């Protein structure tokens, strides 16, 4: 998950970078004033922003947050040394996903990030309830793995297979176990890219290396994926053939 830090105190921005690294997330930029923050936001498109309210320069963190939200709604966690009501009321106008008072510990930051993502990508449902441990953002899954939320770009998915009541998401040399049925996962994938090859497998067609019509397997990343006879003709028709 990509995090943008907007903080004008170098010592504190270094601390935030260390916290983010310990949580397993990626810092994609650090800005000390508003204009630099806007440029980074436009070019890096972060998943979440940690924003100091009192910044050097002509723009406050609240001003910058308003600009961010007008460009692309993004979870923002405000950070400030001031806990006065006036500052809080001004910050509320930008609908932040959390509001932290300095100093705070990594655990508090981690909980705030998880809650921010929950609020950003869900409405009435809980992210970590007994029915689900995955949230689908616009072009990615957020998979909970222990105490981390791992962003998985859908384009990076090689294939999905079902095992008992779980679906297994295969990405390069890693896999994630989702408490979702194959049907539920399929409904969230682009049908112009993903195709079902077997009653228990869905593959990313752009990742197919070859198709063995004798053994009825599809090879992806050196792995053999079963190709059911009833799915073969549909797959062949959908591929661009020469």
């Amino acid at each position: 998950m990509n995090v943008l830090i907007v903080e004008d105190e170098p010592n504190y921005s270094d601390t935030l970078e260390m916290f983010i690294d310990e949580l397993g997330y990626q810092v994609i930029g650090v800005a000390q004033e508003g204009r630099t923050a806007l440029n980074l936001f436009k070019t890096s498109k972060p998943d979440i922003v940690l924003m100091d309210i009192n910044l050097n320069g002509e723009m406050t963190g609240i001003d910058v947050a308003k600009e961010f939200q007008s460009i692309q709604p993004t979870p923002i966690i405000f950070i400030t040394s001031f806990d006065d009501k006036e500052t809080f009321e001004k910050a509320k106008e930008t609908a932040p996903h959390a509001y932290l008072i300095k100093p705070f510990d990594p655990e508090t930051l981690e909980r705030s990030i998880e809650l921010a993502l929950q609020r950003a990508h869900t409405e009435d449902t809980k992210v970590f309830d007994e029915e689900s441990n995955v949230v689908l953002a616009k072009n990615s899954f957020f998979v909970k793995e222990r105490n981390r939320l791992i962003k998985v770009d859908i384009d990076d998915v090689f294939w999905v297979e079902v095992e008992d009541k779980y679906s297994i998401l295969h990405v390069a040399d890693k896999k994630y176990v989702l408490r979702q049925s194959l049907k539920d996962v399929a409904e969230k994938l682009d049908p112009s890219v993903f195709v079902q090859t077997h009653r228990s497998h869905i593959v990313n067609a752009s990742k197919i290396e070859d198709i063995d019509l004798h053994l009825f397997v599809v090879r992806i990343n050196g792995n053999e994926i079963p190709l059911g006879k009833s799915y073969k003709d549909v797959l062949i028709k959908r591929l661009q053939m020469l």
Side-chain angles (χ1 to χ4, degrees), residues 3-213:
V3 181
L4 172 62
I5 296 174
V6 186
E7 169 62 63
D8 62 2
E9 296 181 33
N11 290 339
Y12 212 85
S13 64
D14 290 344
T15 299
L16 284 173
E17 283 195 83
M18 180 183 67
F19 282 0
I20 293 301
D21 183 65
E22 289 176 353
L23 294 175
Y25 303 141
Q26 177 72 37
V27 175
I28 47 82
V30 178
Q32 296 184 353
E33 50 84 33
R35 295 303 171 189
T36 303
L38 281 171
N39 290 332
L40 281 172
F41 183 83
K42 292 174 182 177
T43 57
S44 62
K45 297 179 180 179
D47 300 304
I48 197 165
V49 178
L50 305 182
M51 176 80 72
D52 186 9
I53 290 180
N54 299 285
L55 296 174
N56 291 325
E58 60 184 21
M59 300 180 73
T60 68
I62 296 172
D63 295 330
V64 178
K66 290 179 180 178
E67 293 286 337
F68 283 2
Q69 301 298 29
S70 69
I71 298 170
Q72 174 66 49
T74 303
I76 293 177
I77 296 177
F78 276 133
I79 299 170
T80 182
S81 300
F82 302 94
D83 59 356
D84 60 286
K85 185 176 181 180
E86 183 180 356
T87 301
F88 179 71
E89 290 299 323
K90 289 181 179 179
K92 278 171 53 179
E93 296 175 5
T94 65
H97 288 69
Y99 188 93
L100 300 180
I101 306 297
K102 300 177 183 178
F104 51 83
D105 55 35
E107 290 75 18
T108 300
L109 180 61
E110 180 180 21
R111 288 194 295 269
S112 297
I113 289 175
E114 289 194 2
L115 289 172
L117 289 172
Q118 174 180 332
R119 179 178 169 187
H121 298 296
T122 62
E123 295 180 354
D124 298 325
T125 57
K126 295 181 179 179
V127 178
F128 310 131
D129 59 18
E130 294 181 354
E131 299 301 323
S132 174
N133 68 339
V134 62
V135 178
L136 181 67
K138 185 176 180 180
N139 295 307
S140 61
F141 288 98
F142 279 94
V143 180
K144 186 175 184 186
E145 188 176 75
R146 297 185 179 178
N147 293 319
R148 297 169 58 196
L149 284 173
I150 310 297
K151 181 181 178 181
V152 179
D153 290 333
I154 292 177
D155 290 342
D156 293 337
V157 175
F158 284 87
W159 76 90
V160 186
E161 65 178 298
V162 66
E163 186 173 302
D164 295 326
K165 296 181 180 180
Y166 300 91
S167 292
I168 302 175
L169 201 68
H170 291 263
V171 181
D173 296 326
K174 190 174 178 62
K175 61 183 180 181
Y176 301 96
V177 179
L178 315 178
R179 190 176 286 182
Q180 300 263 316
S181 70
L182 192 67
K183 180 180 179 182
D184 288 339
V185 175
E187 290 175 351
K188 300 168 185 176
L189 299 175
D190 185 349
S192 68
V193 178
F194 290 85
V195 61
Q196 190 162 3
T197 62
H198 188 268
R199 61 184 178 84
S200 61
H201 288 75
I202 297 172
V203 305
N204 185 335
S206 68
K207 306 293 186 183
I208 294 176
E209 297 165 354
D210 68 78
I211 302 170
D212 193 318
L213 299 178

